[in-house]
């Protein structure tokens, strides 16, 4: 995430965090060159994107925090503010990210901690607009992370903070005498995150290391300078990428013949290309960091790095060994990702048995999305009481399924808990103050919106009109079935057929003979 000109006030306020926490990293000076480790933070892959995170607290409650050297400040998300009922104030400023511009709000917290560093009452910026639901409560930005020298080691899953004592320009790559040394670019526009130079296909490019990005990429404009043509046979269109801001950005996979980082050369480097020409030209993300040990020597304005093995640029085109290892070690979020891979059959061959195996492990390990998906599956085979337990547990944590409160409503009605179902759904609907989809379906379930109006709302979004119309018809089928009104189902099925809707699992369930009560 980068900053817009109007974000300065929020940045200055957020910089107080780094100042407040700095004493936690104090160390006594010693004679001679001493490279003193003053703090350590353990790392964990977390969330649906397996982001690099660490643990902290907000107002005394645990918080998952994205380690993000690409962020201009330490920032809260609505995953932190909403459950803690933190009031937001619009600052009138904006942050510019890969997804466009996102409004910056502010809120006050009574206590904030990142590892051993703690602060009392303070004001922090809040960004609400991301391309998807973030899997973390806060982004720990460059001003905090880079207030001392910072070593990143994903091989051991830790950050180390250092203070050099009388070292001057002495070589600081203590783990590897052959470590690459890259000087900071003096002309960099964003002083919070060091810029340096890499060479792609013989073309010099401005680069940063961004721990908050899952994969490395080259901006489209820079890639064209390096000879990329959009009609190239080696160019593959991929899913749009998102970040701060509501916009989705086109992306591709391609191969660059030569990618140079200091004296390191990666040949036939498979790197992403993103249609974003922002404050830098090359972003080196978590894939690069998994194959390198990196030291931000802020004291010398240099970056030290060493290749430690593995694929330097992993673009999610295969099952990565680190992900398999995370799943086998019990990381429920990695288990959920692995289950999704086996369902989709893109990165690995489709295998529904393995998908169910890893999905159940993820659910038992506490992954909210896995609990919701398994609860939904239980609903569709008539195991409504068991579904209620799973769905309720999943909804009590941050998740990526806005339809899940509707599923819990239906499951509760099937188990004779219609009033509780209505109360819970009304509370969930109240939290959706932006009236985002599927809010109209919730209003239909609550008796606030008629069937015809629901279909009209579904058709409002031209891009998603068909999908939302079909979702609405299926939801109405489930509502009537749960309330014992099977007479309404044939007309809804016919309406779905006219709209070109596939026969959904819910429709199949409704059409099947019902067990005796």
């Amino acid at each position: 995430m980068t900053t817009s000109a109007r974000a300065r006030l929020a940045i200055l306020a957020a910089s107080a965090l780094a100042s407040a926490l700095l004493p936690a990293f104090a160390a006594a000076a010693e004679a001679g060159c001493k490279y003193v480790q003053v703090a350590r933070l353990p790392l964990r892959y977390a969330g649906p994107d397996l982001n690099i995170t660490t643990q902290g607290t907000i107002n005394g409650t645990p918080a998952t925090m994205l380690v993000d050297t690409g962020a201009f400040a330490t920032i809260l998300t609505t995953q932190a503010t909403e459950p803690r009922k933190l009031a937001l104030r619009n600052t009138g400023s904006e942050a510019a990210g890969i997804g466009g511009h996102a409004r910056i709000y502010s809120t006050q917290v009574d206590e904030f901690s990142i590892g051993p560093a703690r602060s009392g009452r303070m004001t922090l910026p809040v960004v609400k607009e991301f391309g998807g639901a973030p899997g973390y409560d806060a982004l720990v930005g460059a001003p905090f992370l880079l207030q001392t020298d910072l070593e990143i080691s994903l091989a051991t899953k830790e950050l180390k903070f250092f203070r050099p004592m009388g070292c001057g320009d002495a070589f600081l790559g203590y783990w590897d005498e052959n470590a690459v040394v890259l000087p900071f670019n003096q002309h960099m526009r964003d002083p919070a995150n060091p810029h340096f130079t890499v060479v792609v296909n013989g073309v010099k490019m401005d680069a940063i290391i961004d721990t908050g990005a899952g994969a490395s990429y080259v901006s489209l404009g820079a890639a064209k300078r390096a000879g990329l043509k959009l009609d190239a046979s080696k160019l593959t269109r991929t899913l749009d990428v998102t970040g701060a801001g509501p916009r989705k950005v086109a992306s591709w996979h391609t191969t660059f013949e030569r990618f140079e980082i200091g004296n390191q050369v990666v040949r036939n480097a498979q790197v992403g290309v993103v249609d974003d020409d922002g404050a830098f030209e090359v972003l080196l993300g978590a894939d690069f960091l998994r194959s390198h040990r990196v030291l931000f020597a802020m004291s010398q304005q240099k970056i030290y790095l060493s290749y430690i093995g593995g694929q330097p640029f992993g673009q999610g085109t295969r099952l990565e060994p680190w992900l398999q290892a995370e799943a086998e070690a019990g990381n429920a979020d990695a288990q959920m990702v692995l289950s999704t891979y086996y369902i989709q059959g893109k990165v690995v061959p489709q295998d529904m048995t393995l998908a169910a195996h890893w999905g159940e492990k993820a659910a038992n390990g506490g992954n909210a999305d896995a609990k919701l998906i398994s609860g939904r599956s239980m609903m569709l085979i008539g195991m409504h009481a068991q579904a209620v337990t799973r769905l309720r547990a999943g909804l009590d944590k941050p998740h990526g399924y806005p339809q899940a409160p509707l599923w819990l409503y239906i499951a509760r009605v099937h188990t004779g808990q219609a009033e509780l179902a209505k109360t819970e759904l009304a509370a969930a609907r109240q939290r959706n103050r932006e009236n985002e989809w599927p809010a109209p379906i919730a209003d239909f379930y609550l008796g606030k919106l008629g069937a015809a109006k629901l279909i009209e709302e579904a058709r409002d979004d031209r891009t998603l009109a068909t999908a939302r119309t079909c979702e609405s018809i299926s939801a109405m089928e489930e509502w009537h079935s749960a309330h014992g009104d099977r007479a309404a189902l044939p007309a809804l099925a016919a309406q779905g057929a006219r709209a070109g809707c596939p026969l959904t699992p819910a429709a199949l369930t409704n059409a099947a003979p019902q067990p005796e009560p």
Side-chain angles (χ1 to χ4, degrees):
M1 182 188 297
T2 58
T3 64
S4 71
R6 293 192 288 164
R8 300 301 175 190
L9 181 61
I11 297 170
L12 290 172
S15 68
L17 173 64
S19 299
L21 299 181
L22 189 58
F25 296 138
E30 298 182 35
C33 178
K34 301 290 185 181
Y35 207 44
V36 182
Q37 180 180 320
V38 293
R40 173 188 173 275
L41 286 180
L43 300 176
R44 179 182 183 275
Y45 290 108
D49 298 320
L50 297 180
N51 297 117
I52 301 170
T53 68
T54 192
Q55 282 299 114
T57 64
I58 300 172
N59 290 350
T61 59
T64 298
M65 300 189 177
L66 176 70
V67 175
D68 193 355
T69 57
F72 66 87
T74 294
I75 302 164
L76 300 186
T77 71
T78 52
Q79 179 171 306
T81 59
E82 289 182 354
R84 294 174 178 84
K85 296 181 171 55
L86 300 176
L88 302 185
R89 182 179 64 85
N90 194 334
T91 65
S93 299
E94 293 181 337
I98 199 169
H101 289 80
R103 288 169 290 179
I104 296 178
Y105 299 83
S106 67
T107 192
Q108 283 196 327
V109 298
D110 295 324
E111 181 267 342
F112 188 88
S113 75
I114 304 168
R118 296 183 179 276
S119 172
R121 187 172 180 81
M122 65 189 310
T123 299
L124 286 171
V126 180
V127 172
K128 298 172 63 176
E129 297 166 295
F130 290 88
Y136 41 84
D137 299 281
L139 298 84
V140 182
F144 175 87
L145 295 168
L146 301 179
Q147 58 186 304
T148 65
D149 290 6
L150 173 70
E151 181 187 338
I152 304 170
S153 174
L154 291 189
T156 56
K157 291 193 290 189
E158 62 183 348
L159 300 179
K160 293 179 181 178
F161 297 83
F162 291 92
R163 276 281 175 80
M165 301 296 178
C167 292
D169 288 329
F171 181 82
L172 298 179
Y174 65 93
W175 69 89
D176 179 5
E177 63 181 9
N178 297 313
V180 173
V181 184
L182 301 172
F184 293 178
N185 290 346
Q186 297 303 312
H187 65 278
M188 60 188 188
R189 287 167 286 180
D190 180 5
N193 187 309
H195 291 221
F196 52 94
T197 298
V198 299
V199 181
V200 181
N201 287 355
V203 178
K204 290 184 178 181
M205 296 186 182
D206 187 50
I208 68 167
I209 293 174
D210 186 352
T211 56
S216 303
Y217 68 80
V218 178
S219 72
L220 180 57
K224 288 179 177 178
R225 286 174 50 219
L228 177 74
K229 296 181 180 179
L230 290 181
D231 60 353
S233 59
K234 293 184 179 180
L235 192 65
T236 303
R237 184 74 164 85
T238 57
L239 294 176
D240 293 345
V241 297
T242 59
R247 186 166 56 93
K248 294 183 178 181
V249 179
S251 67
W252 300 264
H253 285 167
T254 194
T255 301
F256 293 99
E257 293 181 5
R258 188 179 176 90
F259 200 113
E260 301 174 56
I261 305 167
N263 61 10
Q264 286 191 4
V265 179
V266 181
R267 299 186 185 278
N268 298 318
Q270 297 182 18
V271 184
V273 174
V274 175
D275 189 7
D276 174 63
D277 295 315
F280 49 85
E281 296 173 314
V282 175
L283 182 148
L284 301 178
D287 55 347
F288 176 83
L289 291 169
R290 276 187 285 273
S291 63
H292 289 81
R293 189 168 176 174
V294 174
L295 171 68
F296 287 84
M298 305 303 292
S299 59
Q300 296 181 340
Q301 294 195 320
K302 297 175 183 176
I303 288 176
Y304 293 76
L305 59 88
S306 296
Y307 174 69
I308 59 173
Q311 180 70 30
F313 301 113
Q315 293 295 312
T317 56
R318 65 187 181 98
L319 177 56
E320 303 285 348
W322 69 270
L323 194 156
Q324 182 78 43
E326 283 288 313
E328 292 174 352
N331 184 327
D333 294 343
Q335 291 167 346
M336 183 59 197
V337 171
L338 194 53
S339 175
T340 303
Y341 280 0
Y342 281 113
I343 290 172
Q344 294 175 341
K346 294 180 180 178
V347 177
V348 294
Q350 187 178 58
D351 189 324
M352 299 309 292
T353 300
L354 282 175
H357 167 78
W358 287 112
E360 187 64 16
K361 279 185 173 292
N364 291 331
N367 181 274
D369 287 354
K371 288 180 182 294
L372 295 176
I373 290 174
S374 60
R376 176 63 169 165
S377 297
M378 291 172 179
M379 285 177 61
L380 296 176
I381 60 174
M383 298 171 60
H384 297 111
Q386 296 92 327
V388 165
T389 301
R390 278 285 173 94
L391 293 169
R392 182 65 272 166
L395 281 167
D396 287 339
K397 295 182 177 182
H399 59 86
Y401 288 88
Q403 297 86 355
L406 305 173
W407 302 342
L408 179 61
Y409 172 92
I410 294 295
R412 286 225 187 264
V413 172
H414 273 293
T415 58
Q417 300 175 296
E419 287 304 313
L420 178 56
K422 191 171 184 178
T423 299
E424 288 177 322
L425 183 58
R429 175 65 181 87
Q430 177 63 27
R431 289 192 293 270
N432 188 356
R433 294 171 185 162
E434 304 293 334
N435 294 322
E436 295 174 348
W437 190 265
I441 297 178
D443 289 340
F444 171 81
Y445 280 7
L446 294 170
K448 298 179 179 180
L449 195 69
K453 184 64 176 175
L454 171 57
I455 297 299
E456 182 181 326
E457 293 271 358
R459 291 172 177 165
D460 271 353
D461 189 319
R462 293 183 179 180
T463 304
L464 300 173
T466 299
R468 288 184 173 177
T469 297
C470 293
E471 184 182 352
S472 299
I473 293 170
S474 179
M476 287 190 284
E477 288 176 336
E478 291 195 71
W479 187 91
H480 285 285
S481 179
H483 287 85
D485 183 15
R486 293 180 58 80
L489 300 182
L492 286 168
Q495 186 178 4
R498 289 193 299 272
C501 302
L503 194 58
T504 62
L508 289 169
T509 301
N510 291 330
Q514 299 297 299
E516 293 294 328

PDB file of all heavy atoms in Angstrom, residues 486 508-516:
ATOM      1  N   ARG A 486     -43.818 -26.633   0.603  1.00  0.00           N
ATOM      2  CA  ARG A 486     -43.281 -27.275  -0.592  1.00  0.00           C
ATOM      3  C   ARG A 486     -44.119 -26.971  -1.832  1.00  0.00           C
ATOM      4  O   ARG A 486     -43.650 -27.152  -2.965  1.00  0.00           O
ATOM      5  CB  ARG A 486     -43.193 -28.782  -0.379  1.00  0.00           C
ATOM      6  CG  ARG A 486     -42.164 -29.158   0.684  1.00  0.00           C
ATOM      7  CD  ARG A 486     -42.079 -30.663   0.886  1.00  0.00           C
ATOM      8  NE  ARG A 486     -41.747 -31.368  -0.337  1.00  0.00           N
ATOM      9  CZ  ARG A 486     -40.529 -31.479  -0.835  1.00  0.00           C
ATOM     10  NH1 ARG A 486     -39.500 -30.893  -0.221  1.00  0.00           N
ATOM     11  NH2 ARG A 486     -40.325 -32.158  -1.946  1.00  0.00           N
ATOM     12  N   LEU A 508     -31.957 -29.725  -5.679  1.00  0.00           N
ATOM     13  CA  LEU A 508     -31.974 -31.182  -5.691  1.00  0.00           C
ATOM     14  C   LEU A 508     -32.501 -31.730  -4.374  1.00  0.00           C
ATOM     15  O   LEU A 508     -33.272 -32.691  -4.332  1.00  0.00           O
ATOM     16  CB  LEU A 508     -30.553 -31.713  -5.955  1.00  0.00           C
ATOM     17  CG  LEU A 508     -30.012 -31.509  -7.379  1.00  0.00           C
ATOM     18  CD1 LEU A 508     -28.527 -31.841  -7.420  1.00  0.00           C
ATOM     19  CD2 LEU A 508     -30.772 -32.388  -8.364  1.00  0.00           C
ATOM     20  N   THR A 509     -32.072 -31.113  -3.273  1.00  0.00           N
ATOM     21  CA  THR A 509     -32.545 -31.548  -1.964  1.00  0.00           C
ATOM     22  C   THR A 509     -34.040 -31.343  -1.829  1.00  0.00           C
ATOM     23  O   THR A 509     -34.775 -32.200  -1.343  1.00  0.00           O
ATOM     24  CB  THR A 509     -31.810 -30.763  -0.856  1.00  0.00           C
ATOM     25  OG1 THR A 509     -30.415 -31.000  -0.981  1.00  0.00           O
ATOM     26  CG2 THR A 509     -32.271 -31.209   0.521  1.00  0.00           C
ATOM     27  N   ASN A 510     -34.527 -30.194  -2.295  1.00  0.00           N
ATOM     28  CA  ASN A 510     -35.953 -29.902  -2.189  1.00  0.00           C
ATOM     29  C   ASN A 510     -36.792 -30.824  -3.055  1.00  0.00           C
ATOM     30  O   ASN A 510     -37.940 -31.123  -2.732  1.00  0.00           O
ATOM     31  CB  ASN A 510     -36.209 -28.444  -2.603  1.00  0.00           C
ATOM     32  CG  ASN A 510     -35.638 -27.460  -1.606  1.00  0.00           C
ATOM     33  OD1 ASN A 510     -35.559 -27.765  -0.418  1.00  0.00           O
ATOM     34  ND2 ASN A 510     -35.233 -26.297  -2.082  1.00  0.00           N
ATOM     35  N   ALA A 511     -36.213 -31.283  -4.175  1.00  0.00           N
ATOM     36  CA  ALA A 511     -36.962 -32.137  -5.086  1.00  0.00           C
ATOM     37  C   ALA A 511     -36.991 -33.591  -4.627  1.00  0.00           C
ATOM     38  O   ALA A 511     -37.821 -34.373  -5.076  1.00  0.00           O
ATOM     39  CB  ALA A 511     -36.344 -32.060  -6.483  1.00  0.00           C
ATOM     40  N   ALA A 512     -36.066 -33.954  -3.734  1.00  0.00           N
ATOM     41  CA  ALA A 512     -35.988 -35.346  -3.292  1.00  0.00           C
ATOM     42  C   ALA A 512     -37.112 -35.664  -2.320  1.00  0.00           C
ATOM     43  O   ALA A 512     -37.647 -34.781  -1.640  1.00  0.00           O
ATOM     44  CB  ALA A 512     -34.634 -35.579  -2.614  1.00  0.00           C
ATOM     45  N   PRO A 513     -37.505 -36.956  -2.226  1.00  0.00           N
ATOM     46  CA  PRO A 513     -38.514 -37.352  -1.245  1.00  0.00           C
ATOM     47  C   PRO A 513     -38.053 -36.992   0.165  1.00  0.00           C
ATOM     48  O   PRO A 513     -36.878 -37.173   0.506  1.00  0.00           O
ATOM     49  CB  PRO A 513     -38.593 -38.875  -1.422  1.00  0.00           C
ATOM     50  CG  PRO A 513     -38.046 -39.137  -2.787  1.00  0.00           C
ATOM     51  CD  PRO A 513     -37.024 -38.080  -3.041  1.00  0.00           C
ATOM     52  N   GLN A 514     -38.936 -36.459   0.968  1.00  0.00           N
ATOM     53  CA  GLN A 514     -38.585 -36.024   2.311  1.00  0.00           C
ATOM     54  C   GLN A 514     -38.823 -37.146   3.325  1.00  0.00           C
ATOM     55  O   GLN A 514     -39.790 -37.901   3.218  1.00  0.00           O
ATOM     56  CB  GLN A 514     -39.422 -34.797   2.716  1.00  0.00           C
ATOM     57  CG  GLN A 514     -39.187 -33.607   1.800  1.00  0.00           C
ATOM     58  CD  GLN A 514     -37.768 -33.124   1.859  1.00  0.00           C
ATOM     59  OE1 GLN A 514     -37.287 -32.718   2.909  1.00  0.00           O
ATOM     60  NE2 GLN A 514     -37.078 -33.174   0.726  1.00  0.00           N
ATOM     61  N   PRO A 515     -37.909 -37.289   4.310  1.00  0.00           N
ATOM     62  CA  PRO A 515     -38.106 -38.331   5.314  1.00  0.00           C
ATOM     63  C   PRO A 515     -39.330 -38.047   6.175  1.00  0.00           C
ATOM     64  O   PRO A 515     -39.741 -36.897   6.330  1.00  0.00           O
ATOM     65  CB  PRO A 515     -36.811 -38.252   6.135  1.00  0.00           C
ATOM     66  CG  PRO A 515     -36.323 -36.856   5.938  1.00  0.00           C
ATOM     67  CD  PRO A 515     -36.721 -36.480   4.541  1.00  0.00           C
ATOM     68  N   GLU A 516     -39.872 -39.108   6.721  1.00  0.00           N
ATOM     69  CA  GLU A 516     -41.006 -38.942   7.616  1.00  0.00           C
ATOM     70  C   GLU A 516     -40.553 -38.240   8.893  1.00  0.00           C
ATOM     71  O   GLU A 516     -39.462 -38.497   9.397  1.00  0.00           O
ATOM     72  CB  GLU A 516     -41.594 -40.319   7.985  1.00  0.00           C
ATOM     73  CG  GLU A 516     -42.233 -41.036   6.808  1.00  0.00           C
ATOM     74  CD  GLU A 516     -43.470 -40.304   6.301  1.00  0.00           C
ATOM     75  OE1 GLU A 516     -44.173 -39.674   7.129  1.00  0.00           O
ATOM     76  OE2 GLU A 516     -43.717 -40.342   5.085  1.00  0.00           O
TER      77      GLU A 516
END
